[in-house]
Amino acid sequence: MSNSNTPIHVTVTGAAGQIGYSLLYRIASGQMLGADQPVVLRLLEIEPAMKALEGVIMELDDCAFPLLQDVVATSDLKTAFDSTSWALLVGSIPRKAGMERNDLLNINGGIFGPQGRAINDYASDDVRILVVGNPCNTNCLIARSAAPDIPADRWFAMTRLDQNRARSLIAKRVGVSVEDVSGLVIWGNHSSTQFPDFENAQVQGKPLESVVNDRTWLEGDFITTVQQRGAKIIEARGASSAASAANAAIDSVVSVVNPTRKGDCVSLAVVSQGEYSIPEGLQFGFPVVSDGKSWKIIEGLSHDSFAQERIRLTTEELLSEREAVKALL
């Protein structure tokens, strides 16, 4: 998407929530679409949160962002997605005590299905969609299924937060910058079954395994720390990841609209066309590269038996989630 003086419309759902609060100012400042790209923010909230959203908009005004051309606040889907070129679907129902995962999937289906239909009917022809609200892979599948006119390659679910967590963990472990860790991708579902793929990653261009030199840690504490990081943050601060999730959302969009760093790849959950024998149609975390105009899945990576089993488990979970919401698809 080339920068121009014409504002790009960006929709953010759940805009008054914690992630939205961390996200909006960074979009308005130019961190997402570029330092010379004007934006119009279209902010969707449920009616009870509209008062809080008013306060957020006052703060946006008070920042005096040169790139922010207009802010539209609404609880109406048509207004929210009208002419939008990027839709960041952040708002979702969190899992509450005693709630089964299938209940959560179906409740969120009631949110993401209508949003998908509204995107299909009212968004710009060039619209692209990033689903942040959890369970994001299957929420993305539901929204995508409700938008038959939007090409499947325009839909992304966010596995970048997990990738960022994994890169940071490795960098700290071996005493390098996060920029020195490349190719460390999250396969599958943004859930406790996700697989951070250390086998195909590098540190300063060398195979990660040879630098870390501790397979027991990689197969054990490394994976579980990445998988359970969100729960640890809730335990520590009494609320879920907000700033880091917003940061990962920005990173995700930047990684689509800009060329991928040479020799690296990014982690995005995109639609499977059968790559790596993943069932077609699943919204699955893959290694992706972009040339700034289009993206593709990196093919030909090898996986040992340990990795194959981890990828099988996360695939099975996504298939079971798809089965749980099949009435919505």
Side-chain angles (χ1 to χ4, degrees):
M1 197 177 293
S2 61
N3 289 343
S4 70
N5 291 325
T6 306
I8 289 175
H9 290 241
V10 178
T11 299
V12 178
T13 73
Q18 286 210 63
I19 295 174
Y21 189 74
S22 293
L23 182 60
L24 298 177
Y25 305 93
R26 296 184 63 179
I27 300 171
S29 73
Q31 288 182 49
M32 187 171 91
L33 294 175
D36 56 354
Q37 177 58 64
V39 293
V40 171
L41 287 175
R42 311 186 76 85
L43 308 183
L44 179 68
E45 259 302 353
I46 55 173
E47 201 58 51
M50 291 303 288
K51 183 73 176 173
L53 187 56
E54 281 180 31
V56 175
I57 294 168
M58 287 182 208
E59 287 201 75
L60 282 166
D61 288 342
D62 294 350
C63 289
F65 290 117
L67 294 173
L68 184 58
Q69 300 292 294
D70 193 15
V71 181
V72 178
T74 185
S75 59
D76 172 65
L77 289 175
K78 179 181 186 300
T79 306
F81 293 108
D82 186 41
S83 303
T84 201
S85 289
W86 267 102
L88 308 186
L89 308 187
V90 177
S92 63
I93 301 294
R95 190 168 181 173
K96 299 182 175 69
M99 186 186 285
E100 295 294 329
R101 190 170 177 85
N102 284 1
D103 296 335
L104 180 69
L105 288 163
N106 280 288
I107 291 167
N108 277 302
I111 296 170
F112 286 85
Q115 288 182 2
R117 285 190 288 278
I119 291 167
N120 189 79
D121 293 346
Y122 306 120
S124 173
D125 288 344
D126 66 353
V127 67
R128 286 179 275 189
I129 306 98
L130 173 69
V131 178
V132 176
N134 287 320
C136 65
N137 297 59
T138 297
N139 286 342
C140 188
L141 172 66
I142 292 165
R144 198 185 85 218
S145 300
D149 301 332
I150 309 291
D153 65 0
R154 305 279 190 82
W155 296 84
F156 309 92
M158 194 171 84
T159 50
R160 181 57 180 264
L161 178 53
D162 309 304
Q163 182 186 31
N164 287 347
R165 288 166 169 166
R167 287 177 71 205
S168 178
L169 192 56
I170 292 294
K172 283 183 179 296
R173 175 83 177 188
V174 298
V176 298
S177 161
V178 289
E179 286 293 292
D180 292 327
V181 182
S182 60
L184 182 44
V185 168
I186 306 299
W187 293 78
N189 200 4
H190 172 65
S191 75
S192 60
T193 67
Q194 61 175 274
F195 175 54
D197 182 4
F198 53 82
E199 183 185 355
N200 287 293
Q202 297 83 39
V203 176
Q204 296 176 331
K206 301 172 190 153
L208 184 153
E209 281 190 78
S210 70
V211 178
V212 173
N213 197 27
D214 188 342
R215 179 83 185 200
T216 302
W217 179 79
L218 287 169
E219 289 186 2
D221 286 352
F222 167 63
I223 291 176
T224 55
T225 300
V226 176
Q227 289 174 337
Q228 296 168 12
R229 183 68 161 188
K232 288 289 186 187
I233 288 169
I234 291 172
E235 188 183 304
R237 70 183 289 262
S240 60
S241 316
S244 57
N247 179 70
I250 297 284
D251 284 346
S252 297
V253 174
V254 167
S255 74
V256 172
V257 301
N258 292 289
T260 308
R261 185 174 64 153
K262 187 171 170 47
D264 204 356
C265 54
V266 294
S267 197
L268 287 164
V270 296
V271 64
S272 170
Q273 306 288 356
E275 298 90 350
Y276 295 95
S277 301
I278 302 304
E280 287 189 30
L282 287 183
Q283 202 76 25
F284 196 90
F286 282 112
V288 169
V289 289
S290 172
D291 63 7
K293 297 181 178 65
S294 61
W295 60 266
K296 65 180 181 181
I297 293 169
I298 295 177
E299 297 200 61
L301 297 178
S302 61
H303 292 110
D304 63 17
S305 58
F306 176 82
Q308 288 172 19
E309 175 62 11
R310 292 302 179 124
I311 291 170
R312 184 191 70 77
L313 289 171
T314 198
T315 304
E316 289 295 322
E317 183 180 57
L318 281 168
L319 286 170
S320 71
E321 288 186 12
R322 183 167 72 178
E323 182 64 22
V325 299
K326 66 181 178 183
L328 302 169
L329 304 178

